[in-house]
Amino acid sequence: GDVIFSTKCLGGEVAPSPACAGGALIVANAQAKLSAISLASGRVAWSGEDDLPDVASPLATEDFVLTADSSGVVNCYDIGTGRKRWTHEFDESFYSSPILAAGRIYAMDNGGTMHVFRASTAFVPVADSRLGEESVATPAFVGDTMFLRGQKNLYGIGPP
């Protein structure tokens, strides 16, 4: 229960949850900052103030940090430096958080379209699939099954 470190880097109402990878704790919220806090020192390694997520939590991998926001913008940053790698604008907003599975990023927009793209230094789309109803929930993978919650239904997609 002892405090290991404390760093001031967020403000206002915070909806996104933190993410952790690459020796960094990634925190973000709208009207504040996107920050990488070094787990070794407890200090802010880098931060940025542009294109901040307001609801969706950031996704951290060993190489990248991805954010999605309610204006439909997805950003990819280098986890070590905070340098923006790419930005892609979608037609719908995001409340669900992007997730990583099998080397691909899965991002469900509020209109119910699952956008799949590669986890890479450039935006490389793989597929878009419509759920058939609106969705604001983050997809979940359990074993070989992906669970999606729409506005009215819960879907399990996987092998029989």
Side-chain angles (χ1 to χ4, degrees):
D2 293 338
V3 174
I4 297 171
F5 61 79
S6 176
T7 302
K8 185 175 175 76
C9 58
L10 297 177
E13 295 181 23
V14 180
S17 297
C20 186
L25 181 68
I26 307 299
V27 296
N29 76 300
Q31 301 171 358
K33 293 181 181 181
L34 167 66
S35 298
I37 302 167
S38 167
L39 294 176
S41 69
R43 293 192 172 95
V44 175
W46 58 263
S47 63
E49 298 179 4
D50 297 327
D51 302 320
L52 299 171
D54 44 359
V55 178
S57 299
L59 167 66
T61 74
E62 293 301 312
D63 299 311
F64 307 107
V65 173
L66 282 100
T67 61
D69 65 31
S70 63
S71 65
V73 176
V74 174
N75 293 289
C76 178
Y77 303 87
D78 181 278
I79 196 166
T81 65
R83 184 173 73 93
K84 192 181 288 188
R85 298 293 208 158
W86 55 261
T87 297
H88 187 81
E89 294 184 35
F90 291 92
D91 293 335
E92 287 280 342
S93 56
F94 292 92
Y95 285 172
S96 71
S97 304
I99 59 172
L100 174 68
R104 294 185 175 134
I105 307 297
Y106 292 79
M108 176 70 79
D109 71 28
N110 293 359
T113 298
M114 176 66 77
H115 302 282
V116 184
F117 43 94
R118 289 193 186 146
S120 66
T121 57
F123 178 75
V124 179
V126 174
D128 289 334
S129 299
R130 296 223 16 98
L131 187 61
E133 62 181 296
E134 293 179 356
S135 177
V136 295
T138 300
F141 284 86
V142 179
D144 291 339
T145 304
M146 177 173 49
F147 291 94
L148 304 169
R149 183 172 54 101
Q151 191 174 41
K152 297 181 181 183
N153 298 288
L154 176 64
Y155 303 88
I157 302 169

